[in-house]
Amino acid sequence: MNLTGFASPWWFLLLVVVAAVAVGYVLAVRSRRKRTMRFSNLALLERVAPTGRRWTRHVPSALLMVSLLLLTFALAGPTAEQKVPRNRATVMLVMDVSLSMEATDVEPTRLKAAQDAASQFAEGLTPGVNLGLISFAGTATVLVAPTTERDGVTSAIRNLKLAQSTATGEGIFAALQSVESFSAVVGGAQGPPPARIVLMTDGKQTVPQDEYAPRGAFTAATKAKEKDIPVSTISFGTSHGSVEIEGKDVPVQVDDASMREIARLSGGDFYKAATAEELDQVYESLGEQIGYETKDTDASRPWVVLGTLVLFGAAASSLLIGRRLPD
């Protein structure tokens, strides 16, 4: 039982009562023993008194004490950490659809592997998470606004089309704007739900070339940090990928350094995936992080059950050993 605390620790004051009962029982046993020794024929008593009863007659009372301790523990409200599905959260999935995603270093292509993994991620998210989708190449496009309906997201993922250039910053900015618009509608008394951006790309930003430019990726990541919206980055692909553009074989290496820096600036996490299997694992890990949260939940039930069983044991042993309830 992984205990993290107690909801009502003041119930432990009952331990004083339990201790008083235990002390009273010991004093009663000693008093009765003195009276027996005073008025009994010791020689006759040793012959007729069963020696095995000297300790077994205390079993019911001992079990009763243990039961009281367990039930007191249960009343104090023990809590334990438990993973529970989130009932409110916003996630924007931002996917790179630049021409480099046509590279075949990840079979069958980077884009197809990314589509399969992203679809599984969307379908596996807990129902309380609102998921949106943005694609970006030279510009960014909001394909699906945050929603708990997964069919629209998976359909949009399957229909992604390639385009020229890589404007990573535009993708992040579009995600931030989408989160803000959605939060303004669903905020309510509890405030906006927690949000996160999941950015998957395979190459270096090309529009603009300076990542610190006003619409650059690093500038967008800093803005995300200010809004408390971390960006989890997935650097997808290998160092030996290439695509054919206008009859020429163009190398398209992944840019791990930029993705790591975006994650750092925004307060998110960086992931590296060089194969379809690794990408599946990354999305599975993200699904666990995003879809569930750890909370302190009530853990008193096992203690109540155990205390009750021990109490029944005390009653049963009292009837079997002394043919009466423990005094």
Side-chain angles (χ1 to χ4, degrees), residues 25-56:
Y25 176 76
V26 172
L27 293 177
V29 169
R30 288 183 177 180
S31 176
R32 184 169 55 187
R33 183 179 300 169
K34 288 181 180 179
R35 291 197 302 270
T36 301
M37 297 291 290
R38 183 179 304 170
F39 299 105
S40 299
N41 185 321
L42 297 181
L44 179 62
L45 184 63
E46 289 181 357
R47 288 196 298 269
V48 301
T51 57
R53 292 281 303 277
R54 292 178 181 177
W55 67 270
T56 56

PDB file of all heavy atoms in Angstrom, residues 25-56:
ATOM      1  N   TYR A  25      -7.105  -4.021  30.077  1.00  0.00           N
ATOM      2  CA  TYR A  25      -7.159  -5.476  29.975  1.00  0.00           C
ATOM      3  C   TYR A  25      -6.012  -6.114  30.750  1.00  0.00           C
ATOM      4  O   TYR A  25      -6.205  -7.095  31.489  1.00  0.00           O
ATOM      5  CB  TYR A  25      -7.108  -5.901  28.508  1.00  0.00           C
ATOM      6  CG  TYR A  25      -7.063  -7.399  28.321  1.00  0.00           C
ATOM      7  CD1 TYR A  25      -8.204  -8.168  28.479  1.00  0.00           C
ATOM      8  CD2 TYR A  25      -5.868  -8.038  28.009  1.00  0.00           C
ATOM      9  CE1 TYR A  25      -8.163  -9.550  28.317  1.00  0.00           C
ATOM     10  CE2 TYR A  25      -5.807  -9.410  27.844  1.00  0.00           C
ATOM     11  CZ  TYR A  25      -6.962 -10.163  27.998  1.00  0.00           C
ATOM     12  OH  TYR A  25      -6.911 -11.527  27.861  1.00  0.00           O
ATOM     13  N   VAL A  26      -4.801  -5.571  30.602  1.00  0.00           N
ATOM     14  CA  VAL A  26      -3.642  -6.122  31.318  1.00  0.00           C
ATOM     15  C   VAL A  26      -3.846  -6.023  32.826  1.00  0.00           C
ATOM     16  O   VAL A  26      -3.584  -6.984  33.582  1.00  0.00           O
ATOM     17  CB  VAL A  26      -2.358  -5.394  30.888  1.00  0.00           C
ATOM     18  CG1 VAL A  26      -1.186  -5.827  31.765  1.00  0.00           C
ATOM     19  CG2 VAL A  26      -2.047  -5.668  29.423  1.00  0.00           C
ATOM     20  N   LEU A  27      -4.335  -4.892  33.279  1.00  0.00           N
ATOM     21  CA  LEU A  27      -4.565  -4.723  34.714  1.00  0.00           C
ATOM     22  C   LEU A  27      -5.646  -5.674  35.217  1.00  0.00           C
ATOM     23  O   LEU A  27      -5.529  -6.227  36.322  1.00  0.00           O
ATOM     24  CB  LEU A  27      -4.971  -3.274  35.005  1.00  0.00           C
ATOM     25  CG  LEU A  27      -3.887  -2.212  34.755  1.00  0.00           C
ATOM     26  CD1 LEU A  27      -4.441  -0.811  35.015  1.00  0.00           C
ATOM     27  CD2 LEU A  27      -2.659  -2.471  35.633  1.00  0.00           C
ATOM     28  N   ALA A  28      -6.681  -5.879  34.412  1.00  0.00           N
ATOM     29  CA  ALA A  28      -7.752  -6.796  34.816  1.00  0.00           C
ATOM     30  C   ALA A  28      -7.230  -8.220  34.929  1.00  0.00           C
ATOM     31  O   ALA A  28      -7.597  -8.966  35.856  1.00  0.00           O
ATOM     32  CB  ALA A  28      -8.902  -6.712  33.823  1.00  0.00           C
ATOM     33  N   VAL A  29      -6.389  -8.634  33.982  1.00  0.00           N
ATOM     34  CA  VAL A  29      -5.824  -9.988  34.015  1.00  0.00           C
ATOM     35  C   VAL A  29      -4.956 -10.170  35.247  1.00  0.00           C
ATOM     36  O   VAL A  29      -5.025 -11.205  35.939  1.00  0.00           O
ATOM     37  CB  VAL A  29      -5.019 -10.254  32.732  1.00  0.00           C
ATOM     38  CG1 VAL A  29      -4.201 -11.543  32.858  1.00  0.00           C
ATOM     39  CG2 VAL A  29      -5.948 -10.347  31.534  1.00  0.00           C
ATOM     40  N   ARG A  30      -4.134  -9.184  35.557  1.00  0.00           N
ATOM     41  CA  ARG A  30      -3.271  -9.287  36.731  1.00  0.00           C
ATOM     42  C   ARG A  30      -4.084  -9.327  38.017  1.00  0.00           C
ATOM     43  O   ARG A  30      -3.776 -10.081  38.952  1.00  0.00           O
ATOM     44  CB  ARG A  30      -2.303  -8.105  36.774  1.00  0.00           C
ATOM     45  CG  ARG A  30      -1.214  -8.185  35.713  1.00  0.00           C
ATOM     46  CD  ARG A  30      -0.244  -7.037  35.851  1.00  0.00           C
ATOM     47  NE  ARG A  30       0.844  -7.139  34.892  1.00  0.00           N
ATOM     48  CZ  ARG A  30       1.836  -6.265  34.794  1.00  0.00           C
ATOM     49  NH1 ARG A  30       1.854  -5.210  35.602  1.00  0.00           N
ATOM     50  NH2 ARG A  30       2.791  -6.447  33.891  1.00  0.00           N
ATOM     51  N   SER A  31      -5.133  -8.502  38.082  1.00  0.00           N
ATOM     52  CA  SER A  31      -5.974  -8.483  39.274  1.00  0.00           C
ATOM     53  C   SER A  31      -6.662  -9.821  39.476  1.00  0.00           C
ATOM     54  O   SER A  31      -6.729 -10.348  40.597  1.00  0.00           O
ATOM     55  CB  SER A  31      -7.013  -7.360  39.141  1.00  0.00           C
ATOM     56  OG  SER A  31      -7.896  -7.371  40.235  1.00  0.00           O
ATOM     57  N   ARG A  32      -7.179 -10.399  38.405  1.00  0.00           N
ATOM     58  CA  ARG A  32      -7.848 -11.681  38.512  1.00  0.00           C
ATOM     59  C   ARG A  32      -6.861 -12.778  38.915  1.00  0.00           C
ATOM     60  O   ARG A  32      -7.189 -13.675  39.696  1.00  0.00           O
ATOM     61  CB  ARG A  32      -8.501 -12.029  37.169  1.00  0.00           C
ATOM     62  CG  ARG A  32      -9.318 -13.315  37.209  1.00  0.00           C
ATOM     63  CD  ARG A  32     -10.149 -13.471  35.978  1.00  0.00           C
ATOM     64  NE  ARG A  32      -9.324 -13.396  34.773  1.00  0.00           N
ATOM     65  CZ  ARG A  32      -9.831 -13.374  33.544  1.00  0.00           C
ATOM     66  NH1 ARG A  32     -11.144 -13.366  33.372  1.00  0.00           N
ATOM     67  NH2 ARG A  32      -9.030 -13.322  32.508  1.00  0.00           N
ATOM     68  N   ARG A  33      -5.639 -12.687  38.400  1.00  0.00           N
ATOM     69  CA  ARG A  33      -4.627 -13.681  38.747  1.00  0.00           C
ATOM     70  C   ARG A  33      -4.288 -13.605  40.229  1.00  0.00           C
ATOM     71  O   ARG A  33      -4.115 -14.629  40.905  1.00  0.00           O
ATOM     72  CB  ARG A  33      -3.367 -13.458  37.903  1.00  0.00           C
ATOM     73  CG  ARG A  33      -2.273 -14.496  38.133  1.00  0.00           C
ATOM     74  CD  ARG A  33      -1.087 -14.215  37.241  1.00  0.00           C
ATOM     75  NE  ARG A  33      -1.481 -14.253  35.831  1.00  0.00           N
ATOM     76  CZ  ARG A  33      -0.682 -13.839  34.857  1.00  0.00           C
ATOM     77  NH1 ARG A  33       0.511 -13.327  35.153  1.00  0.00           N
ATOM     78  NH2 ARG A  33      -1.092 -13.917  33.612  1.00  0.00           N
ATOM     79  N   LYS A  34      -4.198 -12.381  40.772  1.00  0.00           N
ATOM     80  CA  LYS A  34      -3.903 -12.230  42.204  1.00  0.00           C
ATOM     81  C   LYS A  34      -5.009 -12.826  43.059  1.00  0.00           C
ATOM     82  O   LYS A  34      -4.761 -13.479  44.081  1.00  0.00           O
ATOM     83  CB  LYS A  34      -3.714 -10.756  42.532  1.00  0.00           C
ATOM     84  CG  LYS A  34      -2.414 -10.172  41.997  1.00  0.00           C
ATOM     85  CD  LYS A  34      -2.282  -8.708  42.383  1.00  0.00           C
ATOM     86  CE  LYS A  34      -0.978  -8.114  41.856  1.00  0.00           C
ATOM     87  NZ  LYS A  34      -0.847  -6.689  42.214  1.00  0.00           N
ATOM     88  N   ARG A  35      -6.277 -12.600  42.647  1.00  0.00           N
ATOM     89  CA  ARG A  35      -7.398 -13.146  43.415  1.00  0.00           C
ATOM     90  C   ARG A  35      -7.393 -14.664  43.365  1.00  0.00           C
ATOM     91  O   ARG A  35      -7.656 -15.335  44.371  1.00  0.00           O
ATOM     92  CB  ARG A  35      -8.717 -12.621  42.857  1.00  0.00           C
ATOM     93  CG  ARG A  35      -8.947 -11.137  43.091  1.00  0.00           C
ATOM     94  CD  ARG A  35     -10.412 -10.781  42.898  1.00  0.00           C
ATOM     95  NE  ARG A  35     -10.879 -11.142  41.566  1.00  0.00           N
ATOM     96  CZ  ARG A  35     -10.826 -10.331  40.532  1.00  0.00           C
ATOM     97  NH1 ARG A  35     -10.310  -9.102  40.663  1.00  0.00           N
ATOM     98  NH2 ARG A  35     -11.279 -10.723  39.353  1.00  0.00           N
ATOM     99  N   THR A  36      -7.044 -15.222  42.214  1.00  0.00           N
ATOM    100  CA  THR A  36      -6.998 -16.678  42.070  1.00  0.00           C
ATOM    101  C   THR A  36      -5.898 -17.265  42.938  1.00  0.00           C
ATOM    102  O   THR A  36      -6.089 -18.289  43.616  1.00  0.00           O
ATOM    103  CB  THR A  36      -6.749 -17.045  40.598  1.00  0.00           C
ATOM    104  OG1 THR A  36      -7.794 -16.490  39.797  1.00  0.00           O
ATOM    105  CG2 THR A  36      -6.724 -18.553  40.402  1.00  0.00           C
ATOM    106  N   MET A  37      -4.738 -16.612  42.948  1.00  0.00           N
ATOM    107  CA  MET A  37      -3.609 -17.096  43.742  1.00  0.00           C
ATOM    108  C   MET A  37      -3.898 -17.003  45.232  1.00  0.00           C
ATOM    109  O   MET A  37      -3.431 -17.813  46.033  1.00  0.00           O
ATOM    110  CB  MET A  37      -2.353 -16.298  43.404  1.00  0.00           C
ATOM    111  CG  MET A  37      -1.890 -16.451  41.963  1.00  0.00           C
ATOM    112  SD  MET A  37      -1.252 -18.075  41.584  1.00  0.00           S
ATOM    113  CE  MET A  37       0.278 -18.047  42.518  1.00  0.00           C
ATOM    114  N   ARG A  38      -4.713 -16.049  45.642  1.00  0.00           N
ATOM    115  CA  ARG A  38      -4.973 -15.821  47.050  1.00  0.00           C
ATOM    116  C   ARG A  38      -5.910 -16.883  47.621  1.00  0.00           C
ATOM    117  O   ARG A  38      -5.747 -17.336  48.757  1.00  0.00           O
ATOM    118  CB  ARG A  38      -5.581 -14.435  47.240  1.00  0.00           C
ATOM    119  CG  ARG A  38      -5.824 -14.068  48.710  1.00  0.00           C
ATOM    120  CD  ARG A  38      -6.415 -12.675  48.809  1.00  0.00           C
ATOM    121  NE  ARG A  38      -5.552 -11.699  48.137  1.00  0.00           N
ATOM    122  CZ  ARG A  38      -5.918 -10.447  47.897  1.00  0.00           C
ATOM    123  NH1 ARG A  38      -7.123 -10.027  48.250  1.00  0.00           N
ATOM    124  NH2 ARG A  38      -5.086  -9.630  47.290  1.00  0.00           N
ATOM    125  N   PHE A  39      -6.869 -17.307  46.858  1.00  0.00           N
ATOM    126  CA  PHE A  39      -7.896 -18.193  47.412  1.00  0.00           C
ATOM    127  C   PHE A  39      -7.875 -19.609  46.838  1.00  0.00           C
ATOM    128  O   PHE A  39      -8.785 -20.388  47.099  1.00  0.00           O
ATOM    129  CB  PHE A  39      -9.291 -17.592  47.139  1.00  0.00           C
ATOM    130  CG  PHE A  39      -9.484 -16.256  47.777  1.00  0.00           C
ATOM    131  CD1 PHE A  39      -9.459 -15.101  47.004  1.00  0.00           C
ATOM    132  CD2 PHE A  39      -9.673 -16.150  49.149  1.00  0.00           C
ATOM    133  CE1 PHE A  39      -9.641 -13.865  47.592  1.00  0.00           C
ATOM    134  CE2 PHE A  39      -9.841 -14.909  49.732  1.00  0.00           C
ATOM    135  CZ  PHE A  39      -9.833 -13.756  48.952  1.00  0.00           C
ATOM    136  N   SER A  40      -6.839 -19.980  46.079  1.00  0.00           N
ATOM    137  CA  SER A  40      -6.809 -21.302  45.474  1.00  0.00           C
ATOM    138  C   SER A  40      -5.762 -22.178  46.127  1.00  0.00           C
ATOM    139  O   SER A  40      -4.766 -21.705  46.674  1.00  0.00           O
ATOM    140  CB  SER A  40      -6.526 -21.204  43.970  1.00  0.00           C
ATOM    141  OG  SER A  40      -7.538 -20.464  43.325  1.00  0.00           O
ATOM    142  N   ASN A  41      -5.993 -23.493  46.054  1.00  0.00           N
ATOM    143  CA  ASN A  41      -5.013 -24.492  46.451  1.00  0.00           C
ATOM    144  C   ASN A  41      -4.046 -24.652  45.287  1.00  0.00           C
ATOM    145  O   ASN A  41      -4.403 -25.202  44.239  1.00  0.00           O
ATOM    146  CB  ASN A  41      -5.726 -25.817  46.756  1.00  0.00           C
ATOM    147  CG  ASN A  41      -4.753 -26.867  47.307  1.00  0.00           C
ATOM    148  OD1 ASN A  41      -3.628 -26.972  46.862  1.00  0.00           O
ATOM    149  ND2 ASN A  41      -5.238 -27.645  48.276  1.00  0.00           N
ATOM    150  N   LEU A  42      -2.802 -24.144  45.465  1.00  0.00           N
ATOM    151  CA  LEU A  42      -1.866 -24.092  44.345  1.00  0.00           C
ATOM    152  C   LEU A  42      -1.525 -25.467  43.807  1.00  0.00           C
ATOM    153  O   LEU A  42      -1.397 -25.663  42.594  1.00  0.00           O
ATOM    154  CB  LEU A  42      -0.586 -23.364  44.766  1.00  0.00           C
ATOM    155  CG  LEU A  42      -0.766 -21.884  45.161  1.00  0.00           C
ATOM    156  CD1 LEU A  42       0.579 -21.276  45.534  1.00  0.00           C
ATOM    157  CD2 LEU A  42      -1.398 -21.109  44.017  1.00  0.00           C
ATOM    158  N   ALA A  43      -1.380 -26.428  44.684  1.00  0.00           N
ATOM    159  CA  ALA A  43      -1.021 -27.775  44.232  1.00  0.00           C
ATOM    160  C   ALA A  43      -2.131 -28.365  43.384  1.00  0.00           C
ATOM    161  O   ALA A  43      -1.899 -28.977  42.334  1.00  0.00           O
ATOM    162  CB  ALA A  43      -0.734 -28.676  45.426  1.00  0.00           C
ATOM    163  N   LEU A  44      -3.386 -28.169  43.843  1.00  0.00           N
ATOM    164  CA  LEU A  44      -4.514 -28.676  43.079  1.00  0.00           C
ATOM    165  C   LEU A  44      -4.691 -27.905  41.770  1.00  0.00           C
ATOM    166  O   LEU A  44      -4.997 -28.486  40.726  1.00  0.00           O
ATOM    167  CB  LEU A  44      -5.789 -28.566  43.928  1.00  0.00           C
ATOM    168  CG  LEU A  44      -7.082 -29.034  43.253  1.00  0.00           C
ATOM    169  CD1 LEU A  44      -6.986 -30.523  42.912  1.00  0.00           C
ATOM    170  CD2 LEU A  44      -8.272 -28.758  44.163  1.00  0.00           C
ATOM    171  N   LEU A  45      -4.448 -26.603  41.814  1.00  0.00           N
ATOM    172  CA  LEU A  45      -4.615 -25.758  40.637  1.00  0.00           C
ATOM    173  C   LEU A  45      -3.661 -26.157  39.524  1.00  0.00           C
ATOM    174  O   LEU A  45      -4.012 -26.184  38.350  1.00  0.00           O
ATOM    175  CB  LEU A  45      -4.411 -24.291  41.012  1.00  0.00           C
ATOM    176  CG  LEU A  45      -4.649 -23.263  39.899  1.00  0.00           C
ATOM    177  CD1 LEU A  45      -6.095 -23.304  39.450  1.00  0.00           C
ATOM    178  CD2 LEU A  45      -4.275 -21.870  40.388  1.00  0.00           C
ATOM    179  N   GLU A  46      -2.427 -26.505  39.895  1.00  0.00           N
ATOM    180  CA  GLU A  46      -1.440 -26.886  38.882  1.00  0.00           C
ATOM    181  C   GLU A  46      -1.822 -28.177  38.182  1.00  0.00           C
ATOM    182  O   GLU A  46      -1.493 -28.398  37.028  1.00  0.00           O
ATOM    183  CB  GLU A  46      -0.060 -27.031  39.524  1.00  0.00           C
ATOM    184  CG  GLU A  46       0.549 -25.695  39.932  1.00  0.00           C
ATOM    185  CD  GLU A  46       1.921 -25.884  40.551  1.00  0.00           C
ATOM    186  OE1 GLU A  46       2.341 -27.058  40.707  1.00  0.00           O
ATOM    187  OE2 GLU A  46       2.565 -24.877  40.867  1.00  0.00           O
ATOM    188  N   ARG A  47      -2.563 -29.091  38.938  1.00  0.00           N
ATOM    189  CA  ARG A  47      -2.917 -30.378  38.345  1.00  0.00           C
ATOM    190  C   ARG A  47      -4.134 -30.279  37.422  1.00  0.00           C
ATOM    191  O   ARG A  47      -4.212 -30.980  36.422  1.00  0.00           O
ATOM    192  CB  ARG A  47      -3.200 -31.401  39.453  1.00  0.00           C
ATOM    193  CG  ARG A  47      -1.935 -31.869  40.194  1.00  0.00           C
ATOM    194  CD  ARG A  47      -2.195 -33.132  40.985  1.00  0.00           C
ATOM    195  NE  ARG A  47      -3.225 -32.916  42.019  1.00  0.00           N
ATOM    196  CZ  ARG A  47      -2.944 -32.534  43.269  1.00  0.00           C
ATOM    197  NH1 ARG A  47      -1.690 -32.340  43.637  1.00  0.00           N
ATOM    198  NH2 ARG A  47      -3.915 -32.351  44.140  1.00  0.00           N
ATOM    199  N   VAL A  48      -5.085 -29.385  37.727  1.00  0.00           N
ATOM    200  CA  VAL A  48      -6.330 -29.349  36.970  1.00  0.00           C
ATOM    201  C   VAL A  48      -6.353 -28.249  35.911  1.00  0.00           C
ATOM    202  O   VAL A  48      -7.113 -28.330  34.957  1.00  0.00           O
ATOM    203  CB  VAL A  48      -7.542 -29.162  37.922  1.00  0.00           C
ATOM    204  CG1 VAL A  48      -7.592 -30.308  38.918  1.00  0.00           C
ATOM    205  CG2 VAL A  48      -7.462 -27.822  38.652  1.00  0.00           C
ATOM    206  N   ALA A  49      -5.558 -27.218  36.080  1.00  0.00           N
ATOM    207  CA  ALA A  49      -5.588 -26.110  35.119  1.00  0.00           C
ATOM    208  C   ALA A  49      -4.810 -26.475  33.856  1.00  0.00           C
ATOM    209  O   ALA A  49      -3.642 -26.861  33.957  1.00  0.00           O
ATOM    210  CB  ALA A  49      -4.991 -24.851  35.740  1.00  0.00           C
ATOM    211  N   PRO A  50      -5.407 -26.431  32.688  1.00  0.00           N
ATOM    212  CA  PRO A  50      -4.690 -26.741  31.440  1.00  0.00           C
ATOM    213  C   PRO A  50      -3.646 -25.668  31.130  1.00  0.00           C
ATOM    214  O   PRO A  50      -3.974 -24.494  31.062  1.00  0.00           O
ATOM    215  CB  PRO A  50      -5.796 -26.740  30.367  1.00  0.00           C
ATOM    216  CG  PRO A  50      -6.883 -25.888  30.933  1.00  0.00           C
ATOM    217  CD  PRO A  50      -6.812 -26.050  32.422  1.00  0.00           C
ATOM    218  N   THR A  51      -2.403 -26.110  30.943  1.00  0.00           N
ATOM    219  CA  THR A  51      -1.319 -25.143  30.724  1.00  0.00           C
ATOM    220  C   THR A  51      -1.443 -24.450  29.371  1.00  0.00           C
ATOM    221  O   THR A  51      -0.985 -23.325  29.200  1.00  0.00           O
ATOM    222  CB  THR A  51       0.044 -25.855  30.803  1.00  0.00           C
ATOM    223  OG1 THR A  51       0.054 -26.921  29.838  1.00  0.00           O
ATOM    224  CG2 THR A  51       0.262 -26.442  32.181  1.00  0.00           C
ATOM    225  N   GLY A  52      -2.027 -25.137  28.388  1.00  0.00           N
ATOM    226  CA  GLY A  52      -2.135 -24.535  27.064  1.00  0.00           C
ATOM    227  C   GLY A  52      -3.027 -23.312  27.038  1.00  0.00           C
ATOM    228  O   GLY A  52      -2.968 -22.509  26.114  1.00  0.00           O
ATOM    229  N   ARG A  53      -3.894 -23.161  28.024  1.00  0.00           N
ATOM    230  CA  ARG A  53      -4.827 -22.039  28.041  1.00  0.00           C
ATOM    231  C   ARG A  53      -4.172 -20.750  28.504  1.00  0.00           C
ATOM    232  O   ARG A  53      -4.795 -19.689  28.417  1.00  0.00           O
ATOM    233  CB  ARG A  53      -5.993 -22.364  28.982  1.00  0.00           C
ATOM    234  CG  ARG A  53      -6.892 -23.477  28.495  1.00  0.00           C
ATOM    235  CD  ARG A  53      -7.848 -22.972  27.428  1.00  0.00           C
ATOM    236  NE  ARG A  53      -8.630 -21.864  27.925  1.00  0.00           N
ATOM    237  CZ  ARG A  53      -9.732 -22.006  28.643  1.00  0.00           C
ATOM    238  NH1 ARG A  53     -10.181 -23.217  28.931  1.00  0.00           N
ATOM    239  NH2 ARG A  53     -10.398 -20.947  29.067  1.00  0.00           N
ATOM    240  N   ARG A  54      -2.953 -20.807  29.010  1.00  0.00           N
ATOM    241  CA  ARG A  54      -2.336 -19.612  29.587  1.00  0.00           C
ATOM    242  C   ARG A  54      -2.149 -18.503  28.561  1.00  0.00           C
ATOM    243  O   ARG A  54      -2.268 -17.340  28.895  1.00  0.00           O
ATOM    244  CB  ARG A  54      -0.991 -19.980  30.225  1.00  0.00           C
ATOM    245  CG  ARG A  54      -1.146 -20.855  31.462  1.00  0.00           C
ATOM    246  CD  ARG A  54       0.206 -21.230  32.027  1.00  0.00           C
ATOM    247  NE  ARG A  54       0.074 -22.088  33.204  1.00  0.00           N
ATOM    248  CZ  ARG A  54       1.109 -22.615  33.866  1.00  0.00           C
ATOM    249  NH1 ARG A  54       2.338 -22.364  33.424  1.00  0.00           N
ATOM    250  NH2 ARG A  54       0.905 -23.377  34.908  1.00  0.00           N
ATOM    251  N   TRP A  55      -1.831 -18.858  27.328  1.00  0.00           N
ATOM    252  CA  TRP A  55      -1.641 -17.810  26.317  1.00  0.00           C
ATOM    253  C   TRP A  55      -2.779 -17.741  25.302  1.00  0.00           C
ATOM    254  O   TRP A  55      -3.095 -16.672  24.795  1.00  0.00           O
ATOM    255  CB  TRP A  55      -0.321 -18.014  25.572  1.00  0.00           C
ATOM    256  CG  TRP A  55      -0.269 -19.246  24.711  1.00  0.00           C
ATOM    257  CD1 TRP A  55       0.138 -20.490  25.065  1.00  0.00           C
ATOM    258  CD2 TRP A  55      -0.676 -19.334  23.336  1.00  0.00           C
ATOM    259  NE1 TRP A  55       0.020 -21.360  24.033  1.00  0.00           N
ATOM    260  CE2 TRP A  55      -0.463 -20.680  22.935  1.00  0.00           C
ATOM    261  CE3 TRP A  55      -1.166 -18.422  22.412  1.00  0.00           C
ATOM    262  CZ2 TRP A  55      -0.758 -21.135  21.658  1.00  0.00           C
ATOM    263  CZ3 TRP A  55      -1.462 -18.861  21.134  1.00  0.00           C
ATOM    264  CH2 TRP A  55      -1.254 -20.206  20.769  1.00  0.00           C
ATOM    265  N   THR A  56      -3.416 -18.885  25.021  1.00  0.00           N
ATOM    266  CA  THR A  56      -4.484 -18.863  24.015  1.00  0.00           C
ATOM    267  C   THR A  56      -5.680 -18.041  24.467  1.00  0.00           C
ATOM    268  O   THR A  56      -6.392 -17.487  23.623  1.00  0.00           O
ATOM    269  CB  THR A  56      -4.942 -20.288  23.692  1.00  0.00           C
ATOM    270  OG1 THR A  56      -5.349 -20.954  24.907  1.00  0.00           O
ATOM    271  CG2 THR A  56      -3.823 -21.075  23.021  1.00  0.00           C
TER     272      THR A  56
END
